[in-house]
Amino acid sequence: KSGLDPGGAWHAWGMACLKAGNLSSAREKFNRCLKPPMDLNQLNHGSRLVQDVIQYLESTVKPVLITDDDYFATLRELEATLRTRSLSLEMMCEGKIQHNSYYQECLFYLHSYGTNLAIISFYMRHDCMREALLHLLNKESPSEVFIEGIFIPSYESGKLHMLENLLETIDPGLESWGVYLIAACKYLQRKNYYHILYELQQFMKDHVRAAMTCIRFFTHGAKSYTELGGKQTWLLKIKDHLKVYLQEVSRSSGRKKMAFTFRKKMSATDVSRHINTVDLQMEVTKFLHQCESSGTSQMTDSSLPTLFGNNNMKMDVACKVILEGKNIEEGFGIAFRVLQDFQLEATEVYSKVAKQLVKQQKYSEIRQLLKCVNESGVAAKNDGDNIILNCLNEFKNIPAEDLDNLIQDMDSDENKIQAYMLCNKLRSAYLVSVRQEKARALQLVQHVRQLAQSSGDDVVQAICAQWL
């Protein structure tokens, strides 16, 4: 008469029937006020009213937990519970729920009015993980339901191994779980739970991604190569994963194509290249670890470069290796292999090293660097000259004697003249210019004369004028 919503009254009446133990009458009352959710895959446990019903039914039947030291009292409690609720022993021991009317009632309400997440969470609460997984598969629920309802509760309660065993029992190839497992990996990565992620990737036999996780374990948080020296077991694990992957690829290529849909694929050539990178990183790690231990280490960069970074980082590794040995020659071999393997811009690296040596005032070592570059067999004709010119562009205050020695080491007269002009050694520039072929000498001497004029060097200006 008053036009009020009767839902609340039906719900209260239904609850009263439940408490009185009249289950069929309760179903009838709830049928008038409970509605199934619009979307069964929504990430919640359904309406508050349904949750109240489930909560009451679950609280009515409590499995007996032995927390008391008085075993006889516990046994008496167990006997009483068995008598009043006719719970089967199977339910007590294995957490199975099929044989109890109250739990069956829960399932009725969940299947009629609950979401998939609510049903799965119910199974998980009562140690029926297998049923939860089968429900997920049958309903083709999205991966969010798996994460929320099964995966998070499993690892939080230390049952990840149990979950893995069940996934394998239901589908030994794990193909039907692929979408869910990849989603779990992404979730763990977002949360930075890398140890659980690594364990899961090993279970999935996803060797390429497991190797990538090992790279993170190796590089993350390390501040020195001494620290990386202590983490070299991760490098061995990367190699192991990649080798196993190669074996699996070669085995499957003989037979018909295996459907590894969710495992990361990589060509055999790429895998071999990565194995070479790991070998080279091991060599770099041993070398730099040794340098740091013996105290020859010079550079103190905030970030620690490794060969697992981009090309700029790899170039930093090459620089570090050349600079941190007892002398230039000691680390040059390893650095040269880094440059060759990754096809890096060698001249850029050598120039960077030379500039660093100028800063450290190690001029004789620049000459040693040039000697190594020339003896490497792959240096272009002007590489050595360009390295020196790059240094002179940046540093004008190299001591006269060392400066002369560096310029004398240059191959091309043209480059020597350019170097002398850069350092304002105009007399030396003139002396080399006049030795050139007539027409070219004319141009060069005129250029030297102009520079002398603008810098106010009357002596060189007069010499040039006289020659011209």
Side-chain angles (χ1 to χ4, degrees), residues 231-256:
K231 294 167 96 176
Q232 287 190 79
T233 46
W234 288 114
L235 293 177
L236 295 170
K237 284 184 179 178
I238 298 168
K239 271 182 78 171
D240 289 344
H241 284 300
L242 294 176
K243 280 177 178 172
V244 171
Y245 177 77
L246 272 183
Q247 285 165 5
E248 284 182 1
V249 168
S250 62
R251 271 207 303 272
S252 63
S253 62
R255 303 197 301 274
K256 65 179 176 60

Side-chain angles (χ1 to χ4, degrees), residues 246-312:
L246 272 183
Q247 285 165 5
E248 284 182 1
V249 168
S250 62
R251 271 207 303 272
S252 63
S253 62
R255 303 197 301 274
K256 65 179 176 60
K257 276 277 176 230
M258 289 172 79
F260 287 135
T261 46
F262 65 91
R263 297 177 180 93
K264 191 167 177 64
K265 290 192 184 72
M266 195 179 271
S267 72
T269 328
D270 282 350
V271 175
S272 303
R273 209 179 62 242
H274 287 306
I275 291 174
N276 287 341
T277 302
V278 174
D279 285 334
L280 201 48
Q281 180 63 52
M282 280 175 129
E283 228 174 302
V284 166
T285 307
K286 279 175 192 157
F287 178 76
L288 291 175
H289 181 196
Q290 214 173 330
C291 294
E292 285 180 5
S293 307
S294 61
T296 56
S297 178
Q298 301 284 345
M299 291 169 80
T300 49
D301 283 337
S302 50
S303 64
L304 195 64
T306 69
L307 298 178
F308 299 118
N310 58 20
N311 277 358
N312 284 341

Side-chain angles (χ1 to χ4, degrees), residues 76-243:
R76 278 196 297 278
E77 274 175 44
L78 174 59
E79 207 176 4
T81 314
L82 285 171
R83 213 167 33 246
T84 53
R85 295 287 174 209
S86 66
L87 274 173
S88 74
L89 277 169
E90 189 189 358
M91 189 245 148
M92 302 306 299
C93 303
E94 293 176 27
K96 295 290 178 195
I97 53 184
Q98 288 87 333
H99 299 278
N100 179 269
S101 56
Y102 275 78
Y103 282 106
Q104 285 304 304
E105 208 61 20
C106 283
L107 286 173
F108 166 78
Y109 286 107
L110 285 168
H111 282 288
S112 306
Y113 312 108
T115 59
N116 284 327
L117 181 60
I119 297 166
I120 284 168
S121 300
F122 174 79
Y123 281 133
M124 290 296 286
R125 276 200 302 281
H126 298 288
D127 294 331
C128 297
M129 196 186 281
R130 184 187 169 83
E131 284 76 1
L133 287 167
L134 291 172
H135 182 83
L136 179 89
L137 267 191
N138 293 338
K139 300 293 177 188
E140 294 178 353
S141 291
S143 46
E144 292 80 7
V145 174
F146 170 74
I147 302 286
E148 199 73 29
I150 298 175
F151 187 70
I152 295 175
S154 295
Y155 78 71
E156 283 183 348
S157 59
K159 290 181 180 169
L160 193 56
H161 283 299
M162 185 178 163
L163 172 63
E164 290 171 352
N165 290 338
L166 276 169
L167 293 174
E168 216 164 16
T169 309
I170 295 168
D171 177 3
L174 299 179
E175 283 304 316
S176 41
W177 304 116
V179 179
Y180 299 118
L181 289 169
I182 293 295
C185 289
K186 285 178 181 169
Y187 166 81
L188 292 169
Q189 204 165 354
R190 276 199 310 275
K191 288 281 191 182
N192 286 335
Y193 294 162
Y194 283 94
H195 289 280
I196 304 174
L197 172 66
Y198 181 50
E199 189 190 322
L200 190 62
Q201 286 167 336
Q202 289 180 91
F203 161 72
M204 291 158 67
K205 297 184 175 60
D206 194 348
H207 295 291
V208 175
R209 286 195 181 96
M212 288 156 79
T213 306
C214 290
I215 290 174
R216 194 207 181 257
F217 283 134
F218 175 71
T219 54
H220 186 68
K223 294 279 183 286
S224 70
Y225 261 89
T226 308
E227 276 181 56
L228 287 184
K231 294 167 96 176
Q232 287 190 79
T233 46
W234 288 114
L235 293 177
L236 295 170
K237 284 184 179 178
I238 298 168
K239 271 182 78 171
D240 289 344
H241 284 300
L242 294 176
K243 280 177 178 172

